[in-house]
Amino acid sequence: MNVVGVVFLFLVLGVVGAESIRLSPDPPSPVLPATFTAGFDETMDYFGLTGATQGVLYYDSLKGYERMDRENGEADRYCGTAHLFSKTPCTHLIVDSTRWLIFPQRQSCCYCCDSADGCGIVKRDFLANATFVGYEEVNGTSVQHWKEEGLQENDYWQTDDQKPVRLYQKPNDDMRFKGTDLKPIDPSVFQVPDYCSSDKQCGGTCSFLRKRASRSVSKSGGRPKGILVE
């Protein structure tokens, strides 16, 4: 084969290769595992209040339960506004469509909001309309990168078997997961403490969400549209 023929062959193979890459289908949209436990490292910046903490997320969509423990809730926009400038552990616990904020060291608990306010558990397909950005390497592993506009820009990374790797709600909250356990979760994890009472309502962000829902109902005559909160 002469030189012209070789060059032509390479050009053809290059075009075919590029076309196959361009036409390769995107992975299916992210769906959270039905039940899982995952540790995480988190950095937050809300209203000029910055912080870093560690925690654990427990998620059981089959029962409609979710729990998120943070070693320090000061920079969380819910815990940190319920107890201002308080460096103390804080738990979000969602049971029966009700979100509680629990401060175990203080033996304190308050009612935050419920599913009508947009405070139910995160939906498994909360990124159903996300755009696939591509594959990226994280800690030596190739993972999927997705992006979706919501209340803010959400960037999400997951493994091919749809285990969460990272969730970055720009520019406020960056959560990096440390392993995912798919085993069933002991029901006691989602037990609401005896000292929780709906008579004691959380202030701060929780109060804003409750008032926002009330205004929506008043104007529309129906239930407000749910929003994603963590």
Side-chain angles (χ1 to χ4, degrees):
M1 183 180 296
N2 58 30
V3 174
V4 174
V6 172
V7 171
F8 177 75
L9 178 60
F10 273 110
L11 287 174
V12 170
L13 290 175
V15 170
V16 172
E19 188 68 14
S20 63
I21 294 175
R22 186 178 66 83
L23 294 177
S24 60
D26 291 342
S29 297
V31 177
L32 292 173
T35 303
F36 70 93
T37 303
F40 61 85
D41 293 316
E42 184 178 27
T43 56
M44 295 166 283
D45 184 354
Y46 290 107
F47 316 114
L49 182 63
T50 60
T53 190
Q54 296 179 323
V56 181
L57 169 62
Y58 304 89
Y59 182 82
D60 189 338
S61 65
L62 304 178
K63 296 179 180 177
Y65 296 164
E66 183 180 331
R67 171 176 167 172
M68 185 174 292
D69 296 343
R70 289 183 172 89
E71 292 182 359
N72 179 8
E74 181 185 28
D76 174 56
R77 55 183 160 181
Y78 302 92
C79 300
T81 55
H83 279 291
L84 292 173
F85 312 116
S86 180
K87 290 180 169 61
T88 187
C90 180
T91 291
H92 287 243
L93 178 61
I94 307 170
V95 176
D96 298 329
S97 300
T98 297
R99 180 178 296 252
W100 303 93
L101 296 188
I102 302 167
F103 302 87
Q105 286 187 352
R106 294 170 170 262
Q107 289 287 287
S108 173
C109 174
C110 57
Y111 163 74
C112 180
C113 44
D114 59 35
S115 58
D117 309 317
C119 291
I121 71 169
V122 175
K123 294 181 179 180
R124 293 186 64 195
D125 62 347
F126 77 104
L127 290 171
N129 298 316
T131 300
F132 180 61
V133 178
Y135 278 94
E136 298 177 6
E137 188 170 302
V138 175
N139 298 328
T141 301
S142 180
V143 300
Q144 302 170 11
H145 180 188
W146 294 82
K147 185 185 298 288
E148 182 173 358
E149 297 291 340
L151 295 176
Q152 57 207 111
E153 183 178 306
N154 299 288
D155 283 83
Y156 182 72
W157 290 260
Q158 68 168 16
T159 60
D160 278 338
D161 56 355
Q162 299 194 318
K163 293 179 180 179
V165 174
R166 180 186 178 191
L167 174 60
Y168 185 20
Q169 300 175 82
K170 292 182 177 178
N172 307 113
D173 196 308
D174 191 357
M175 185 177 290
R176 299 169 184 262
F177 295 95
K178 302 183 294 185
T180 302
D181 188 344
L182 302 181
K183 295 177 182 177
I185 303 171
D186 190 312
S188 65
V189 169
F190 301 107
Q191 182 69 41
V192 179
D194 293 337
Y195 53 83
C196 289
S197 170
S198 58
D199 293 334
K200 185 175 182 180
Q201 298 189 344
C202 307
T205 301
C206 295
S207 177
F208 168 77
L209 289 172
R210 294 193 303 269
K211 290 178 181 177
R212 172 178 173 170
S214 296
R215 289 195 299 269
S216 297
V217 171
S218 176
K219 291 180 180 180
S220 66
R223 296 167 70 90
K225 181 180 180 182
I227 57 175
L228 174 66
V229 296
E230 74 287 327

